[in-house]
Amino acid sequence: MLPEKKSGQVSRVAFRLTQFCQRRVFSTSSFCPICISNSKMDEIDGLGQLTDFRRLCSDLTLQTKKEGFFKDYLAAIVDQVSEEEFQEFSKQQTDYDRIRYCWTLPALHKTMKSFRPSYRGKSADDSAKRREQGNEAFKEKDYRKALKTTLALALANRSAVLVHLKEYQLAVRDIQLSLQSNYPEKQRYKLYDRMGYCHQQLGEPAKARVAYTVALDCLAQSDLELHALEQWRQTIEKSRSKLASSNSNTSNTTTVNELPELLGGAHPTIPNASRNLSLKVDDDCGRYYVAADDIKPGQTLVCEKPYAACLLPGKFTSHCHHCFVRLIAPLGCMTCRAVFYCSVECRDEAGSTYHQYECGIVDILTASGSSILSWIALRILTKGKLEDFLAAREQLEKGDGRLVQPADNYSCIYHLATLSHLRSDKDFFDRTFMALFLFQCLRASGFLPTRHRYEEDALNISDDEIYIASLLLRHLQLLQFNAHEIHEFVQLNEKNMRSTKTAYIGVGIYPTVAFFNHSCRPDVARYFLGTAMVITSSRSIRRGQMVAENYGPIFTHKHLTDRQQSLLGRYWFQCQCPACKNNWPIYDGMPDMESVLICCPLCRGPVQSVNASYARCTKCKKQSLWEAIRRPVDEISSLYQTAMRIMDLGQVDKAIQVLSLYIEMMETLVDDLPIRELFLAQEALRLCLGTYGTKYVATSHLSFKAAGNPKV
């Protein structure tokens, strides 16, 4: 799930709402649903501190940027809403009714008049300036700087930079795009010659021969003098003649990462899940997974592409807007200046679906300070078709919420938990107006058939539009508890696995993964291939046992009180996992492996030394040879050291095998005890498995391929 957010000062909106509540409490009642949460939530902390923390966490799922204008937009509405209007809002029982009522409030439309979606178009002056900077950097042989300063502006020039960086496939792509953009005919011989060289280096002699032949034909259209023309002809002929004996290096060919096979094959009724998982439902835990059969460490349990995913705005210039891989030679949107893509395929796919609507509203969404969850609430709609959402309305409202086939059916999203019965009126108030703000963006984008001007008809809204706005409100609720962060593995040093960490780059909604419950001692780890999530087991899981992931707070790094406060504030539940029930210590307080494993080989009771050769069990009173006690301890200790050494050597596949064996053996010996080496091994296994996904090696970014350009 999404990582916890740090609490800060109460926003001006919260302060004004608090003042508003004080007026209500003083004048009408001793209970205020804005200041005081649902009584079931309040009984956790009588001092109200947790309630405040929960409110702040909830606010951060709507808006994260302090400088965004939405907080002022909401504050302006709050200032104009009367006590009677808020009381009436509190009576609304459905999302549809909340949207319909708030649309009639004068405060909304007075504030909405200042709403003007706009975006920054392409600038010819900026393009010329950046092209000149790129040319200067290229002359100085500063190829990395040249690559950075010519993004999406001078494709022909950038192809030359990419050739020097040995990024031959990207160079071919830029040459093709440059030719499609009417590159001058008199100079096309240069590009085809460069294309031939790239294909030659990629080990594609047939394509290289065609490119060289076209380059020779293009010489006839050049304006070269006879001497220069002859030199070019000889050079190209010489390159073409070498093709037959060329021993080209094909290591730069981009490979496509495929999703791994699921343990036991695909589940017949749970999309994207292994047959070794089973979905259960009960009143205490809701919907959750259990093991349908015994599961060993390091096995693949779920492979799922997101229903919808959004890149963090701070990553727009460094990652592909569509598939989230690191950019080397970005391609910009053809219209806006906000987003970039890794390939023509990603650009065209995004442009033909969600970005055709979002292109004109990216800047206003960014400026509003809307949270990434608000972006996804919108994306869930823009990636689909309006008519499909309207056609499914009756079925959705009557549905029973079961996971259905296929996983890309919107019903899988619609029926995820919203915890609406626990929400305060203040929370609904904030989310309703965020939904209406997003609805206005959607209306301005062209997704909806009508575009009204506020001056002409501010209150004009159809029943279908109210329904679409109510879906946005529903998304803002369910995403709070069901969205997952998307990360890439960042390896600071290519030769040091322990320098690896995860970097948060986006958020996605995964309907299959959403049913994993939380544990502060997780059973699984996850990594990403682009935006596709892969869930693997990180420990042994017995048949019938719940299979849990971790929502953020993990017991090895956070104490019990911190974990419980975080989970109550962010996800509204009190964790009952073994680590919480038994108040397990963090790493520093855990016993080491040797102190736990040195025990009686007969009854596993504690032993005391009798002499240099024997020890007596304090439980069964039997004597045993120290050698018999020490031998299994030394063997498993050696296995642990071997696993860590192999990982440090970068032998990932072998390290995963040895770490999995060690974890499995240790869990049979210590059962459910917190042992330092055991959990360090599970963390090492997670790191090793993560290298199978999208990985960024900081020291060799421009040369990393397979892990950086998955097309899944």
Side-chain angles (χ1 to χ4, degrees), residues 621-667:
K621 309 303 181 182
K622 302 287 185 178
Q623 286 192 6
S624 301
L625 286 169
W626 269 116
E627 182 182 355
I629 296 172
R630 290 285 326 180
R631 187 184 306 114
V633 178
D634 292 341
E635 288 176 354
I636 199 164
S637 240
S638 175
L639 186 63
Y640 173 78
Q641 297 297 333
T642 300
M644 291 300 184
R645 184 172 64 255
I646 293 171
M647 183 185 75
D648 289 339
L649 292 173
Q651 300 174 14
V652 175
D653 292 343
K654 189 174 180 181
I656 289 173
Q657 293 177 1
V658 181
L659 284 166
S660 298
L661 177 61
Y662 167 78
I663 293 168
E664 190 177 358
M665 291 177 63
M666 274 292 292
E667 287 178 330

Side-chain angles (χ1 to χ4, degrees), residues 123-139 145-146 148-158 161 183:
S123 168
D125 291 340
D126 286 349
S127 296
K129 182 178 179 181
R130 294 177 67 184
R131 187 182 300 112
E132 184 179 349
Q133 292 173 346
N135 288 338
E136 290 299 321
F138 183 76
K139 291 176 182 178
K145 181 179 178 182
K148 182 178 180 181
T149 56
T150 57
L151 298 179
L153 298 172
L155 294 168
N157 288 351
R158 190 169 68 177
V161 177
Y183 189 78

Side-chain angles (χ1 to χ4, degrees), residues 462-505:
S462 67
D463 179 72
D464 286 345
E465 288 178 317
I466 295 175
Y467 172 66
I468 292 298
S470 73
L471 291 183
L472 288 167
L473 178 53
R474 187 178 185 88
H475 298 166
L476 291 173
Q477 297 172 64
L478 66 87
L479 285 166
Q480 181 176 358
F481 308 112
N482 295 286
H484 278 76
E485 69 167 27
I486 297 172
H487 62 253
E488 65 179 356
F489 270 71
V490 177
Q491 196 166 342
L492 302 180
N493 188 324
E494 191 171 7
K495 297 181 180 180
N496 184 1
M497 278 290 296
R498 302 198 191 200
S499 70
T500 304
K501 63 179 183 179
T502 57
Y504 174 33
I505 60 173

Side-chain angles (χ1 to χ4, degrees), residues 166-232:
K166 298 183 179 180
E167 297 289 343
Y168 302 117
Q169 281 194 327
L170 292 174
V172 170
R173 183 204 67 188
D174 274 6
I175 291 169
Q176 291 171 338
L177 290 172
S178 179
L179 292 168
Q180 292 169 13
S181 301
N182 297 318
Y183 189 78
E185 290 186 2
K186 293 181 179 180
Q187 299 180 40
R188 289 190 177 187
Y189 65 92
K190 295 180 181 179
L191 293 189
Y192 281 109
D193 177 60
R194 190 177 299 157
M195 183 187 292
Y197 176 78
C198 291
H199 284 306
Q200 187 174 356
Q201 296 304 308
L202 290 167
E204 299 168 344
K207 292 182 179 180
R209 184 172 288 105
V210 171
Y212 284 136
T213 301
V214 175
L216 289 171
D217 293 340
C218 287
L219 283 174
Q221 282 79 43
S222 72
D223 55 0
L224 294 172
E225 295 182 359
L226 288 177
H227 178 69
L229 182 67
E230 183 60 23
Q231 282 188 326
W232 266 101

